[in-house]
């Protein structure tokens, strides 16, 4: 069996006049061919980040554009990547891509529909309920995945998501890998329902059930027993799932056993915006203990993400190095004794004004019609403020045009052993006319925008005072 090697310009398939290998492929569908046929492999890892998933969408659109231009025609990312995985909002995007939806559909979800998901009510502002309505989130997820199960053939490539089972304290890494240990149902005292039977909508909802923001998701694990309690995968060490997805492809337990060399494996990691979270203790005011606890947890998530990037840049041949800290820099000259294990690409936006000014330049002012302020950037860091979606999307479009370079995207479409190529056809969401916003919804949206801007301005003012 044969796949194209990245960058060799050779095509073993019939499209180039060559002949496919004579060996027969036992894979029943493109998902299995992506996972099990030998040859160079490609992973797409998508971070969690709430409404900042709009940043991810902008990068994916640019990746699709670059590939289409180089290959001379429309390209779908489910055909290009062999495993697409994500956490939280990244799980929603990963699932949609694996099902064949276009980046345009996903963009519409974030820019037009996310405000409905992240809608607050008075009771939720008073903290008497989770901040947002999980039913609205489920409705939008079901619009994308329907009633499909994890074993659906409509998942055209490998797909993985991360959640956290809170009642047992264990991260759950769930993939459509038919060789995985828990794929099939097992009877008996230590039995369980096989992962293949889980509704895809429930799994994606479980990965997005951020504590405080959404109600948890309940999943039946064993017939007749109490269901498991699941929360957002962002509270595991895998909000950036790139390290985990890499391990999934090489550890014997998962039975994929992909080759780990820069010629055989490419990992693309897409972020949702990063920044260093700083606290001004004297400005915390009333509820100091609760606020410092919350900020410590949020900074822990940032630290874990930085550690993931550190590991990936050390283990991989990084084409897009990111500065880690003043001691490590970007690890360009560091490598394991056995050598680099994959090609690594990281695309993201650093939500810090000096970085934006230095890296994105005058295009930001042209796009926004003015220079961004520190308050603008602080506001863009929110993961639950739908009023920032259009702004962060525009900012990420600028970054994507600068970061996603044609030379990063070598190689050709895979050719399987029987001569065929990945065949996922773009799937389009059924057009759904948005419900007309009520006057109250429009008014409340305006109020939230004003509150968002005031909150960001207050944070900036506090930081200024702390420096004087």
């Amino acid at each position: 069996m044969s796949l194209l090697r990245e960058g060799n310009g050779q095509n073993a398939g019939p499209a180039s006049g060559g002949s496919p290998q004579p060996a027969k492929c036992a894979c029943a569908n493109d998902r299995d061919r992506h996972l099990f046929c030998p040859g160079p492999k490609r992973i797409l890892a998508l971070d969690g980040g709430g409404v900042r998933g709009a940043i991810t969408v902008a990068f994916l659109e640019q990746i699709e554009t670059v590939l289409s231009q180089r290959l001379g025609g429309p390209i779908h990312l489910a055909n290009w990547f062999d495993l697409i995985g994500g956490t939280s909002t990244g799980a929603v995007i990963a699932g949609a891509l694996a099902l064949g939806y276009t980046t345009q559909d996903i963009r519409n979800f974030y820019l037009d529909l996310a405000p409905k998901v992240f809608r607050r009510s008075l009771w939720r502002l008073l903290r008497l309920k989770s901040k947002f309505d999980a039913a609205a989130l489920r409705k939008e997820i079901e619009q994308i995945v329907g009633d499909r199960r994890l074993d659906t053939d409509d998942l055209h490539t490998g797909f993985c998501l991360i959640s956290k089972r809170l009642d047992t304290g264990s991260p759950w890494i769930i993939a459509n890998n038919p060789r995985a240990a828990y794929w099939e149902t097992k009877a008996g005292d230590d039995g369980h329902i096989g992962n293949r039977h889980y509704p895809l909508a429930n799994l994606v909802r479980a990965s997005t059930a951020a504590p405080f923001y959404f109600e948890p998701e309940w999943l039946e694990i064993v017939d007749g027993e109490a269901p498991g309690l699941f929360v957002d995968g962002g509270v595991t060490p895998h909000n950036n799932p790139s390290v985990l997805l890499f391990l999934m492809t090489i550890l014997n337990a998962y039975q994929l056993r992909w080759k780990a060399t820069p010629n055989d494996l490419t990992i693309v990691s897409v972020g949702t915006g990063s920044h260093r979270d700083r606290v001004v203790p004297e400005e915390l005011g009333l509820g100091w203990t609760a606020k410092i606890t919350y900020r410590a947890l949020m900074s822990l998530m940032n630290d874990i993400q930085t550690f993931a990037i550190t590991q990936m840049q050390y283990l991989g041949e990084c084409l897009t190095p990111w500065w880690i800290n003043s001691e490590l820099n970007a690890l360009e000259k560091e490598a394991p004794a056995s050598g680099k294990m994959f090609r690594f690409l990281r695309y993201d936006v650093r939500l810090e004004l000096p970085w934006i000014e230095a890296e994105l330049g005058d295009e930001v002012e042209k796009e926004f019609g003015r220079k961004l302020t520190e308050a603008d950037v602080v506001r863009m860091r929110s993961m639950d403020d739908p009023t920032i979606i259009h702004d962060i999307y525009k900012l990420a479009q600028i970054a994507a045009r600068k970061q996603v370079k044609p030379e990063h995207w070598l190689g050709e479409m895979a050719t399987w052993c029987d001569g065929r190529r990945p065949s996922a056809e773009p799937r389009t969401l059924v057009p759904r006319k948005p419900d007309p916003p009520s006057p109250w919804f429009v008014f409340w949206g305006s109020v939230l925008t004003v509150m968002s801007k005031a909150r960001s301005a207050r944070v900036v003012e506090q930081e200024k005072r702390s420096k004087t």
Side-chain angles (χ1 to χ4, degrees):
M1 291 188 284
S2 171
L3 282 180
L4 298 179
R5 296 188 65 82
E6 296 196 57
N8 66 4
Q10 301 295 316
N11 188 342
S16 66
S19 300
Q21 297 289 332
K24 293 183 178 180
C25 180
C27 296
N29 50 44
D30 270 6
R31 175 203 67 190
D32 290 354
R33 295 183 185 97
H34 277 294
L35 292 177
F36 305 127
C37 278
K41 298 293 185 183
R42 301 164 179 137
I43 298 173
L44 177 62
L46 306 179
D47 290 10
V51 298
R52 295 204 319 243
I55 293 174
T56 300
V57 174
F59 279 105
L60 294 177
E61 287 181 308
Q62 186 64 21
I63 291 170
E64 200 173 76
T65 297
V66 169
L67 279 172
S68 297
Q69 290 172 348
R70 195 179 66 75
L71 296 177
I75 177 71
H76 196 282
L77 299 184
N79 289 328
W80 184 261
F81 289 100
D82 302 289
L83 176 61
I84 302 176
T87 302
S88 191
T89 197
V92 178
I93 300 172
L97 287 176
L99 284 169
Y101 288 111
T102 65
T103 54
Q104 181 179 353
D105 277 322
I106 301 170
R107 179 191 65 196
N108 291 341
F109 172 85
Y110 274 93
L111 271 62
D112 298 333
L113 300 178
K116 292 185 176 182
V117 173
F118 291 89
R119 181 190 296 183
R120 309 181 196 187
S121 71
L122 178 61
W123 293 109
R124 298 181 192 283
L125 283 176
L126 293 174
R127 306 295 189 261
L128 299 179
K129 292 183 178 181
S130 295
K131 195 170 186 178
F132 304 110
D133 184 6
L137 176 60
R138 178 181 295 280
K139 179 180 178 181
E140 302 307 330
I141 291 174
E142 288 176 348
Q143 171 73 4
I144 294 175
V145 307
D147 59 358
R148 299 175 180 89
R149 304 186 313 183
L150 185 61
D151 63 358
T152 177
D153 285 346
D154 288 342
L155 285 170
H156 298 293
T157 189
F159 167 65
C160 178
L161 59 78
I162 295 91
S163 185
K164 174 68 175 286
R165 185 176 176 188
L166 206 57
D167 58 307
T168 60
S170 54
W172 272 42
I173 295 88
I174 306 175
N176 65 339
N177 173 12
R179 296 182 184 174
Y182 294 96
W183 182 250
E184 301 290 351
T185 297
K186 180 181 178 182
D189 293 338
D190 60 342
H192 59 266
I193 298 171
N195 287 352
R196 68 181 303 171
H197 299 294
Y198 287 129
L200 201 52
N202 293 69
L203 293 177
V204 174
R205 235 292 286 165
S207 184
T208 59
F212 175 73
Y213 294 108
F214 292 104
E215 295 294 328
E217 180 76 3
W218 299 88
L219 288 177
E220 187 178 11
I221 311 301
V222 179
D223 285 331
E225 294 189 8
L229 178 67
F230 288 82
V231 296
D232 195 294
V235 298
T236 72
H238 313 301
N239 193 58
N240 176 339
S242 53
V243 177
L244 179 68
L245 294 177
F246 168 59
L247 292 176
M248 174 178 285
T249 65
I250 64 170
L251 295 179
N252 287 333
Y254 297 100
Q255 299 190 58
L256 295 179
R257 302 186 182 94
W258 292 359
K259 292 183 179 179
T261 75
N263 286 331
D264 292 293
L265 181 59
T266 298
I267 302 175
V268 181
S269 172
V270 185
T272 57
S274 63
H275 67 282
R276 180 172 291 184
D277 195 24
R278 295 174 172 85
V279 174
V280 183
E282 58 271 21
E283 300 291 346
L284 291 176
L286 188 65
W288 190 92
T289 301
K291 291 177 181 178
I292 204 72
T293 301
Y294 173 79
R295 298 292 293 273
L297 291 174
M298 293 303 295
S299 67
L300 176 61
M301 291 180 64
N302 291 332
D303 293 341
I304 290 173
Q305 176 155 301
T306 300
F307 186 49
I309 298 301
T310 303
Q311 294 176 81
M312 296 300 288
Q313 292 190 165
Y314 173 67
L315 297 172
E317 184 181 280
C318 187
L319 279 66
T320 56
W322 284 78
W323 183 83
I324 303 298
N325 57 42
S326 57
E327 187 172 18
L328 297 178
N329 293 313
L331 298 176
E332 298 100 325
K333 299 179 181 180
E334 298 278 357
S338 57
K340 297 290 189 178
M341 304 176 74
F342 48 82
R343 292 171 71 240
F344 180 60
L345 295 163
R346 172 67 176 181
Y347 300 127
D348 201 3
V349 174
R350 197 179 292 277
L351 295 173
E352 297 175 351
L353 188 58
W355 184 92
I356 291 172
E357 291 176 340
E359 298 295 329
L360 305 187
D362 295 338
E363 288 189 44
V364 176
E365 185 174 356
K366 293 176 183 178
E367 179 65 37
F368 286 84
R370 61 180 177 82
K371 289 183 176 294
L372 293 184
T373 67
E374 187 71 32
D376 292 326
V377 179
V378 169
R379 180 168 167 258
M380 290 180 184
R381 295 172 184 171
S382 173
M383 293 189 291
D384 65 335
D385 181 356
T387 69
I388 71 169
I389 292 175
H390 287 270
D391 285 346
I392 60 173
Y393 174 73
K394 290 192 297 183
L395 189 71
Q397 281 184 305
I398 299 170
R401 290 194 293 268
K402 291 180 175 292
Q403 293 180 28
V404 181
K405 300 178 181 179
E407 57 265 30
H408 296 166
W409 299 88
L410 306 176
E412 303 294 333
M413 295 293 295
T415 301
W416 311 129
C417 59
D418 56 3
R420 78 175 81 184
R421 288 185 167 188
S423 56
E425 293 294 329
R427 186 189 310 276
T428 303
L429 282 172
V430 177
R432 180 160 57 98
K433 186 177 181 180
D435 298 329
S438 66
W440 169 252
F441 179 75
V442 174
F443 168 75
W444 189 235
S446 300
V447 171
L448 291 177
T449 300
V450 172
M451 292 171 59
S452 171
K453 292 180 177 180
R455 187 165 52 245
S456 300
R458 186 170 62 252
V459 170
V460 172
E461 184 61 29
Q462 290 172 348
E463 290 180 350
K464 287 181 179 178
R465 287 203 301 266
S466 70
K467 296 176 183 177
T468 60

